[in-house]
Amino acid sequence: MSDPMRPRASLRTAVVWEVLRDALDHKVKATGSDALDVLDTGGGTGNFAVPVARLGHRVTVVDPSPNALFALERRAAEAGVADRVRGVQGDIHGLFDVVDRGGHDVVLCHGVLEYVDDPAEGVRNAVDALRPCGILSLLAAGLGGAVLARALAGHFTEARQALADPAGRWGEGDPVPRRFTAEQLTGLVGAAGVEVGAVHGVRVFADLVPGALVDTEPGALDALLKLEAAAAELPAFHSVASQLHVLGQKQEPGDG
């Protein structure tokens, strides 16, 4: 079952949550430990941290916003997992000022790389926080989804600008500093010593479907969720997804 914050939030989290939950289950079996050490960089108010803690894992959230960390603390308490969620103020570039290097079974790096000055350094730090054979879950804004959305809204010049811009931005008013292709993300992850296990397109259709249809048409939400899940693994749809999710495993020292 996906994160219960329905209906609209489930469209944004369902695919990633299902993949992440399966990865956590496999890691539990591989380690023989029911409680994993999970690091959520840029985890904000706990959209993933709290559900992960509900599964019994220990989660450390690193985020630069004191307000987000306060909301995280309140949310964890309301969910009954305050003893398994710890929030610390910091960011991916100064990660080891606040957490241990090589001390985590799983690292989530969701919605972070778009906003950092050096994405390659951000990925390296996330990987360095992992134990050998640890799991990296990386989620970032996709270039193709933004181009498609601008074009369908009639902003053809902005769509073309996003295609041509090295950072994938459609103009000065673009709130996202950087977007990625699947090839760029897997390249960053591979260069940091992670073997890519899967790539998923996230929100392939959800951002393009009128909200009124999803909210009022009987069965539309569940049908759209199933469509998103079916398309997520198909490479043909990665190029038009609003977000891209990469799941991989840190290689042991000496692995090629």
Side-chain angles (χ1 to χ4, degrees), residues 37 40 58 64 79 95 106 129 139 152 159 184 201 219 226 250:
D37 292 310
D40 189 354
R58 298 177 291 268
L95 190 59
V106 181
L139 182 68
L152 291 179
Q184 287 171 331
K226 290 176 182 176
K250 183 177 182 178

Side-chain angles (χ1 to χ4, degrees), residues 14 18 30 47 52 58 66 68 73 75 92 113 124 131 133 143 158 163 166 169 174 177 198 219 227:
E18 294 298 332
N47 285 341
V52 168
R58 298 177 291 268
E73 183 178 355
R75 188 173 186 175
I92 192 75
L113 295 189
R124 286 195 301 269
R131 293 172 177 142
C133 298
L143 170 63
E158 291 179 351
L163 272 177
R169 303 187 74 230
D174 193 337
L227 177 61

Side-chain angles (χ1 to χ4, degrees), residues 2-25:
S2 62
D3 193 298
M5 296 192 321
R6 296 168 68 91
R8 300 299 279 164
S10 59
L11 287 172
R12 293 179 171 270
T13 63
V15 167
V16 178
W17 174 241
E18 294 298 332
V19 172
L20 179 60
R21 189 180 63 175
D22 286 348
L24 291 167
D25 288 345

